[in-house]
Amino acid sequence: MADVAPMDLVVLADDEGNSVRIKVLGPEPTWLAGLAGEIVVETPFVSGRTNLILSASKLQAWGNALDGLDAGQDIAWMEMDGGPSVFIQLTGDWDCPEVVVKDESYSMVTVRVPIVLPADWIASHRRRLRALTDSWKRPQ
């Protein structure tokens, strides 16, 4: 298996200091078919992080979520997967997209972050996903 360099898979951030990032840290030492990662939330008011494990199916689901977002649909990613979930609502309460991170299985905390996203954010995330999947050679 090729080593995967640490990278930001998801970067949802604006000029107001609000951001939700999903960082890939590298191969998951406890599961050969997974990647260690974390969700990092930073705002001027609150910040936090939670660990997660990314699998090939979760990465495929992220690609499908990007397709839905590109079609103008709100999405739920990793919902009901036994770990944290990410929801993106394209039109939130503040007339901009909102990212909701739910960590019901561990901390039982939900965070809602309004983020003004750049016009090319979906295409940028497709490139990030492609770069990760191209570099990650999973065991057969």
Side-chain angles (χ1 to χ4, degrees):
M1 176 173 68
D3 283 336
V4 174
M7 66 170 289
D8 286 331
L9 174 64
V10 176
V11 179
L12 305 169
D14 64 20
D15 294 336
E16 303 296 320
N18 294 328
S19 70
V20 175
R21 297 178 189 270
I22 297 180
K23 298 177 177 250
V24 175
L25 304 175
E28 171 57 42
T30 62
W31 184 37
L32 289 178
L35 295 171
E38 65 181 353
I39 300 174
V40 180
V41 175
E42 295 177 328
T43 76
F45 177 67
V46 66
S47 64
R49 65 184 62 232
T50 189
N51 294 328
L52 76 149
I53 297 175
L54 294 166
S55 62
S57 63
K58 285 182 183 178
L59 296 177
Q60 182 178 11
W62 176 236
N64 294 339
L66 291 171
D67 292 343
L69 290 163
D70 202 22
Q73 302 166 359
D74 295 342
I75 62 96
W77 180 39
M78 299 186 289
E79 184 179 28
M80 306 300 292
D81 204 26
S85 303
V86 176
F87 303 82
I88 299 175
Q89 300 168 340
L90 293 173
T91 305
D93 291 339
W94 301 99
D95 294 327
C96 67
E98 288 182 346
V99 180
V100 179
V101 178
K102 290 186 178 184
D103 185 25
E104 293 177 342
S105 63
Y106 182 65
S107 68
M108 297 182 285
V109 170
T110 298
V111 179
R112 179 180 304 273
V113 183
I115 301 175
V116 178
L117 296 168
D120 67 341
W121 72 276
I122 294 173
S124 169
H125 282 85
R126 285 188 174 151
R127 287 189 296 274
R128 291 172 186 278
L129 177 58
R130 190 173 315 111
L132 176 60
T133 56
D134 286 350
S135 69
W136 184 33
K137 306 300 182 214
R138 295 170 305 283
Q140 300 299 328

